[in-house]
Structure formats: structure tokens, C-alpha cells
């Protein structure tokens, strides 16, 4: 089943986010390579593709996992969680309809 991982950044975490980003992307690439990633990306903190020093307000991942517990465990092991980037992480089932 698909799951949405909706993570919200804490305050003033851009430097920590940038430092942990390579390890974060490695995990996403592994999901992609396994055919289990529908989409993933950050949410700019301002209305711009490149928010610069404004940074990001969070991230969204939609990926396939065996269960909600597996999705939660995967999200909890994210390098951004370890680095203290995310203030909160919400995991919910997702049903893809379109496209």
C-alpha cells in the first residue's frame, strides 16, 4: 500500500538539513530503485523554487510499504529525524487515483 509521509521542519534547521541531505537522498534513491517511490520532495518555506536562506517548511514522501508500521519505522529512521530537522512526522495511508 502507498503511504504519505508528511514531515514538518523545525525552526532554523537549514544547516542541519543541508548536512544530512546526502544520506536522506540515499534512502529515497533506494526506494526509487526498488520501484516503491511515487514522489518525494521538499516544501520551500517561501513561494519560490529555490528558497535560498528561507529554507524549507518540510518534506513530502509518497512510497509503498508493507504496512503503516513499516512506513512509520522507515520515516523514524530518516537522517533528517536523526539530525533534528523535523519537528513532526505524520504517516498516513494513501490511495493513488490519478494520474
Amino acid at each position: 500500500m502507498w503511504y504519505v509521509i508528511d514531515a514538518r521542519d523545525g525552526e532554523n534547521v537549514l544547516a542541519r538539513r543541508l548536512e544530512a541531505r546526502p544520506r536522506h537522498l540515499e534512502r529515497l534513491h533506494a526506494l526509487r530503485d526498488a520501484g516503491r517511490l511515487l514522489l518525494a520532495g521538499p516544501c520551500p518555506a517561501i513561494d519560490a523554487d529555490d528558497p535560498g536562506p528561507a529554507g524549507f517548511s518540510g518534506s513530502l514522501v509518497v512510497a509503498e510499504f508493507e504496512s503503516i508500521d513499516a512506513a512509520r519505522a522507515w520515516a523514524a529512521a530518516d537522517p533528517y529525524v536523526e539530525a533534528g530537522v523535523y519537528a513532526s512526522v505524520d504517516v498516513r495511508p494513501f490511495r493513488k487515483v490519478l494520474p
Side-chain angles (χ1 to χ4, degrees):
M1 179 167 200
W2 295 107
Y3 294 90
V4 171
I5 300 169
D6 183 9
R8 302 296 173 110
D9 284 18
E11 295 292 322
N12 302 312
V13 296
L14 183 57
R16 284 184 261 166
R17 176 184 265 275
L18 294 174
E19 183 179 324
R21 187 170 190 263
R23 291 176 289 128
H24 171 77
L25 290 177
E26 283 178 24
R27 298 177 81 236
L28 291 171
H29 289 158
L31 284 177
R32 178 200 62 200
D33 294 348
R36 296 174 42 210
L37 183 64
L38 185 62
L39 66 88
C43 300
I46 61 173
D47 191 12
D49 285 336
D50 181 357
F56 300 90
S57 63
S59 302
L60 182 74
V61 175
V62 180
E64 188 175 37
F65 294 94
E66 293 178 12
S67 67
I68 195 164
D69 289 336
R72 287 179 177 148
W74 187 91
D78 193 286
Y80 284 169
V81 171
E82 179 183 314
V85 172
Y86 293 152
S88 66
V89 178
D90 185 37
V91 179
R92 301 183 309 278
F94 178 76
R95 187 178 68 158
K96 182 178 183 283
V97 175
L98 295 171

